[in-house]
Amino acid sequence: MNHPHYSRPRRLLHWLFAAVVLWATISGYANALLQPPCSVQQAIAFINVSLTTLLVPLFVLRLFYLVRHPAPPAPAHQSAAERRLVHAGHSALLVTLGTVLLSGVLMMSRPIDLFGLQLPQPLQDPAATTFFEELHHYSCMVLALLVTGHIAAVILHQLRGHGVLRRMLPKRP
Ligand code: HEM
Ligand code: HEM
């Protein structure tokens, strides 16, 4: 049987974002909570700011493909209520991801170091950067919770024999 898949650009962007978001979340919290040596903290902060800044234009591309390449039809076993829940979950992930990216850039109180290329910080007012720092703090927590729920839901579906994962994997010939 031929199963419907997300388009190739949507699959590529999904897995690229998944890798960077998981890395930035785990290493970002490790940096904040475990207090590793200063050199490790600086290296993680440098890598994370560079990697996640690259996601900003890719996020716009992701929204473009979201509109241009609609999702494949929902699996037949899903009820209307489940479809609404999946849709709400994916929408919440994207809105929160957008908030995390935007607040990350706007909270910067130093130039944004993009693998050595210095981009000017967008805001100068300390009250505004503090506001976006708080927003980054809370939106990162919400994103971590949503991603945990998202991965748990995928595992649960797989265990029940509903192969949703293959919708995000390359098409088999
Ligand atoms: C995928 C998007 C992103 C994720 C998942 C993410 C995740 C995180 C996490 C988990 C923390 C620690 C949170 C805390 O201490 O409350 C953090 C802190 C931080 N993030 Fe992000 N972030 C993202 C995007 C960005 C962007 C785009 C920038 C700036 C260009 C940025 C700059 C920072 C800075 C400067 C810190 C504070 C580091 C420190 O003071 O130790 N983040 N981020
Ligand atoms: C190991 C980690 C992950 C796995 C196994 C996974 C798996 C999947 C699967 C199977 C789907 C298709 C669901 C369907 O329509 O049937 C999906 C969609 C989606 N996932 Fe993930 N995911 C992971 C990480 C993430 C992360 C970290 C994010 C957040 C940034 C995310 C955001 C989304 C979004 C927004 C969709 C809707 C389709 C799209 O617009 O790309 N996923 N994921």
Side-chain angles (χ1 to χ4, degrees), residues 111-169:
I112 300 172
D113 191 339
L114 179 63
F115 294 115
L117 174 73
Q118 304 289 319
L119 305 174
Q121 69 189 73
L123 300 177
Q124 306 298 327
D125 178 8
T129 53
T130 306
F131 167 79
F132 285 109
E133 197 178 332
E134 288 242 322
L135 186 59
H136 195 64
H137 179 71
Y138 289 111
S139 55
C140 281
M141 281 187 202
V142 175
L143 186 63
L145 290 175
L146 287 173
V147 167
T148 308
H150 176 62
I151 296 174
V154 172
I155 293 173
L156 212 71
H157 279 292
Q158 289 299 120
L159 292 178
R160 285 182 182 161
H162 303 147
V164 291
L165 193 56
R166 66 182 158 217
R167 289 157 59 84
M168 252 320 158
L169 294 177

Side-chain angles (χ1 to χ4, degrees), residues 21 24-25 28-29 32 49 52-53 55 100-101 104 107-108 136-137 140:
V21 167
T25 303
Y29 281 127
V49 166
T52 55
T53 302
L55 289 190
V100 165
L101 287 172
M107 75 185 250
M108 291 303 280
H136 195 64
H137 179 71
C140 281

Side-chain angles (χ1 to χ4, degrees), residues 3-8 10-12 14-15 158 163-172:
H3 294 282
H5 287 71
Y6 282 88
S7 72
R8 195 176 147 90
R10 283 190 71 171
R11 295 197 309 265
L12 285 174
H14 173 272
W15 291 117
Q158 289 299 120
V164 291
L165 193 56
R166 66 182 158 217
R167 289 157 59 84
M168 252 320 158
L169 294 177
K171 288 180 192 168
R172 295 226 192 96

Side-chain angles (χ1 to χ4, degrees), residues 5-66:
H5 287 71
Y6 282 88
S7 72
R8 195 176 147 90
R10 283 190 71 171
R11 295 197 309 265
L12 285 174
L13 285 165
H14 173 272
W15 291 117
L16 179 71
F17 271 78
V20 175
V21 167
L22 289 175
W23 159 259
T25 303
I26 294 167
S27 61
Y29 281 127
N31 239 9
L33 303 174
L34 304 180
Q35 302 285 322
C38 211
S39 58
V40 176
Q41 285 192 28
Q42 282 173 353
I44 289 179
F46 168 71
I47 293 169
N48 286 6
V49 166
S50 297
L51 275 180
T52 55
T53 302
L54 285 180
L55 289 190
V56 175
L58 290 175
F59 185 70
V60 178
L61 191 66
R62 193 167 178 179
L63 294 182
F64 171 79
Y65 281 116
L66 183 80

